[in-house]
Amino acid sequence: MPEPESVPSAVPWWRDAAVYQVYPRSFADGDGDGVGDLAGIRARLPHLARLGVDAVWFNPWYPSPQKDGGYDITDYRAVDPVLGTLDEAEKLIAEAAGLGLHTIVDIVPNHVSDRHPWFRAALAAPPGSPERERFHFRDGRGEHGRLPPNNWRSEFGGLPWTRTADGQWYLHLFAAEQPDLNWDHPEVRAEHEAVLRFWFDRGAAGVRIDSAGLLVKDPDLPDLTPEGPHPYVDRDDLHPVYRSWRAVADSYHPPRALIGEVWVPDAERFARYLRPDELHTAFNFDFLARPWDATALRASIDSTLAAHEPVEAPATWVLANHDVTRTATRYGRADTRFDFAAKAFGTPTDLALGRRRARAAALLTLALPGSVYLYQGEELGLPEVEDLPPDRLRDPMHHRSGGTDPGRDGCRVPLPWSGDRPPYGFSTAPGAAEPWLPQPADWTALTVEAQTGDPDSMLELYRTALRLRRTAITGGLRWRPAPEGVLAFDRGIGFTCLVNLSPQPVPIDTPGELLLRSGPLTDGRLPSDTALWLGRA
Ligand code: NOJ
């Protein structure tokens, strides 16, 4: 099934797309089991078309024991029965295309589920067997091999090694139920290229590549030391993998897009993934992690644009996703950075302040050149849900921390669509089960229904901003002189964005017609934590 052509344009869609991220289990529940599904998404696609986004990225929808929110996959060519069927996924892709929405499918190449047939076969086979070569099995160190083979740490905390019944250990950079694949194995490479083709053949316009910087390991799996190349992050020999994937993507008409989840702090190293024969774009986590501070954000914008320019790749801008604290909550705290290590229960939050800043941040982000990612619920201004009952928390980051890390469930709570009590229209079937993560009792004013038509709502702000982004914003970014704490820039000659991150109101001394503002002005001045867009014909 070819990906339906959108309006012919000289600019490929992925260069400036607004991409909406759907976490399928929490978007909309069509069958009433309390878990979001493809039927629910299909019924709610008009919301996305009306919102004004260009593409939808779906977090993994594959069969999975759900040991890591679907990132533990047993079959890359199927849909989890809880979510629907492959036939429904094909229909969803086609219906989205009919609404002008490109589909981006999540691909998870670093690891599989421990219930994946390859890993089951590996466990059933003896040490040294070909079945084990697709993974990283090693003998342990110390007496009787009782110590793990090296000093690495799991990305989720704790050991990244688990010992099997026969005494060998296997590597898992994430949870124990997510064994890492051996990317030096030709079958592993061939399998993932076949999986890419499988989804491209079904009309996927692109793939989001999970943990894209971690696949290739130093074959000796040496101890981590402060010197020398890292044994598994951002290895030089990873680039041929993506060159090969690019050839697959380019063999389609229209060419498919590769979008990497690359957490590589060095801007020059990051840009290497975006060379013309590798990935098309990659998430910009530097911008996401920065505090609500004009100097810090401007530095991130400048370094991002400078790093992308030589490789001629578009920048991406991300404020939130299914792994990080919701924007309205993060910006309402004393420490407005995002840092996995700093997450803690009981952090005081001024949600009204956070919402005001989140509105201003939306206008800042949507005015930047490149593509932008919008995580579901951000358009509603949802807060992080921080009082989920402990026995409902699913995230291995929480459990592997011994319960000190709040984990990521709080940003994955099912969306509120309508009504004045849970499930807020999340499940539409009569007699539906309770949502898989409980929704707060005070979300009535946050539903799509309640916000629709309210000019002051976050939803209408996003709708207007996304419409204007398509029609009124083009051209490169040029900074304007501005008072301390204020970000001011033009796009082309006809558009200006002003964001006041300073504590006091500032004069608006830029000519132009007011297109949009994130909050009221005071005496014609731009208040603290407020943004506005100006246009000039
Ligand atoms: C990144 C994903 O975004 C996250 O949700 C997941 O836990 C890890 N990769 C492991 O797949």
Side-chain angles (χ1 to χ4, degrees):
M1 188 197 306
E3 193 221 331
E5 299 265 4
S6 48
V7 182
S9 153
V11 181
W13 66 271
W14 48 266
R15 292 195 76 89
D16 58 6
V19 183
Y20 187 92
Q21 179 191 351
V22 166
Y23 192 76
R25 293 170 66 83
S26 300
F27 188 70
D29 169 24
D31 67 5
D33 65 357
V35 180
D37 50 33
L38 302 193
I41 298 169
R42 288 171 65 196
R44 297 290 190 183
L45 279 178
H47 170 70
L48 302 184
R50 179 165 178 199
L51 186 58
V53 295
D54 308 293
V56 190
W57 150 35
F58 295 99
N59 285 107
W61 54 31
Y62 315 103
S64 162
Q66 296 295 326
K67 298 296 183 192
D68 178 25
Y71 283 92
D72 48 320
I73 298 166
T74 57
D75 181 355
Y76 287 72
R77 295 177 180 79
V79 170
D80 195 314
V82 176
L83 301 186
T85 63
L86 183 57
D87 179 57
E88 282 180 282
E90 291 178 6
K91 290 199 170 97
L92 169 57
I93 294 169
E95 287 162 5
L99 292 169
L101 300 168
H102 301 273
T103 292
I104 299 166
V105 170
D106 213 318
I107 297 289
V108 185
N110 182 67
H111 44 266
V112 296
S113 161
D114 63 343
R115 313 305 295 158
H116 187 284
W118 278 4
F119 194 70
R120 289 157 90 110
L123 280 187
S129 59
E131 288 84 351
R132 290 204 173 181
E133 283 170 14
R134 296 190 189 113
F135 298 89
H136 297 285
F137 280 86
R138 293 288 187 281
D139 293 330
R141 299 204 277 209
E143 202 191 337
H144 307 299
R146 270 203 289 263
L147 298 173
N150 64 26
N151 69 351
W152 299 1
R153 302 289 296 167
S154 159
E155 301 285 313
F156 286 167
L159 283 183
W161 293 99
T162 290
R163 202 166 191 197
T164 64
D166 56 43
Q168 275 208 314
W169 298 74
Y170 68 88
L171 177 70
H172 50 86
L173 289 181
F174 294 92
E177 297 86 353
Q178 295 168 292
D180 277 45
L181 288 165
N182 172 12
W183 272 84
D184 289 328
H185 197 300
E187 278 175 33
V188 169
R189 295 191 180 215
E191 166 66 0
H192 279 84
E193 291 192 10
V195 168
L196 291 180
R197 290 184 190 282
F198 182 88
W199 290 104
F200 291 159
D201 287 346
R202 280 161 182 76
V207 289
R208 176 265 189 191
I209 307 160
D210 185 68
S211 304
L214 305 181
L215 275 47
V216 173
K217 278 84 182 172
D218 180 330
D220 295 333
L221 307 184
D223 272 349
L224 197 54
T225 60
E227 303 88 39
H230 197 285
Y232 62 86
V233 177
D234 185 31
R235 306 270 310 164
D236 284 343
D237 32 0
L238 176 51
H239 293 280
V241 172
Y242 294 132
R243 288 203 187 96
S244 186
W245 285 27
R246 180 62 176 253
V248 173
D250 283 348
S251 71
Y252 282 80
H253 179 74
R256 306 316 203 224
L258 306 175
I259 300 151
E261 189 212 14
V262 183
W263 294 81
V264 171
D266 181 283
E268 190 276 326
R269 297 284 309 179
F270 176 84
R272 288 158 54 96
Y273 291 86
L274 304 176
R275 291 177 289 197
D277 59 348
E278 298 193 38
L279 308 182
H280 297 77
T281 67
F283 296 124
N284 179 0
F285 292 114
D286 180 67
F287 183 72
L288 179 155
R290 297 277 176 142
W292 182 244
D293 171 87
T295 308
L297 288 169
R298 178 168 172 161
S300 179
I301 293 167
D302 283 338
S303 65
T304 299
L305 294 176
H308 284 71
E309 206 226 42
V311 286
E312 292 182 15
T316 64
W317 309 101
V318 190
L319 282 175
N321 64 30
H322 65 293
D323 292 330
V324 307
T325 310
R326 287 270 188 200
T327 313
T329 299
R330 173 162 69 96
Y331 283 157
R333 292 177 164 173
D335 180 359
T336 51
R337 291 170 311 138
F338 178 75
D339 180 1
F340 280 110
K343 287 183 77 176
F345 282 107
T347 309
T349 304
D350 176 345
L351 206 47
L353 175 66
R355 283 231 170 83
R356 197 160 69 243
R357 290 175 170 170
R359 291 173 66 88
L363 295 200
L364 166 64
T365 309
L366 291 171
L368 294 170
S371 63
V372 64
Y373 284 78
L374 169 58
Y375 175 48
Q376 68 177 37
E378 291 287 292
E379 80 279 25
L380 304 177
L382 296 188
E384 186 85 0
V385 181
E386 301 187 273
D387 56 356
L388 290 166
D391 63 335
R392 303 291 288 273
L393 297 179
R394 303 284 192 93
D395 187 6
M397 284 187 108
H398 169 69
H399 292 294
R400 287 177 65 99
S401 73
T404 55
D405 182 328
R408 300 165 294 176
D409 297 290
C411 68
R412 300 177 179 179
V413 171
L415 291 193
W417 292 92
S418 60
D420 58 5
R421 69 188 78 114
Y424 298 110
F426 168 68
S427 302
T428 45
E434 195 201 344
W436 69 282
L437 283 175
Q439 300 160 305
D442 61 355
W443 273 12
T444 304
L446 296 177
T447 65
V448 173
E449 180 184 60
Q451 296 196 39
T452 294
D454 173 358
D456 295 330
S457 70
M458 185 72 108
L459 179 57
E460 293 298 351
L461 180 76
Y462 264 103
R463 284 177 174 158
T464 307
L466 284 161
R467 182 171 51 74
L468 288 169
R469 184 176 181 274
R470 278 185 181 157
T471 54
I473 312 180
T474 54
L477 177 147
R478 214 176 43 256
W479 293 105
R480 299 180 72 92
E484 202 182 328
V486 176
L487 296 174
F489 60 88
D490 291 341
R491 292 283 309 278
I493 51 167
F495 176 88
T496 300
C497 175
L498 300 177
V499 192
N500 182 6
L501 298 92
S502 80
Q504 63 277 319
V506 292
I508 303 165
D509 51 12
T510 315
E513 169 209 353
L514 177 64
L515 297 176
L516 188 60
R517 50 180 172 68
S518 68
L521 307 183
T522 42
D523 304 327
R525 283 146 47 103
L526 185 65
S528 179
D529 298 320
T530 308
L532 64 75
W533 287 359
L534 297 166
R536 287 175 297 279

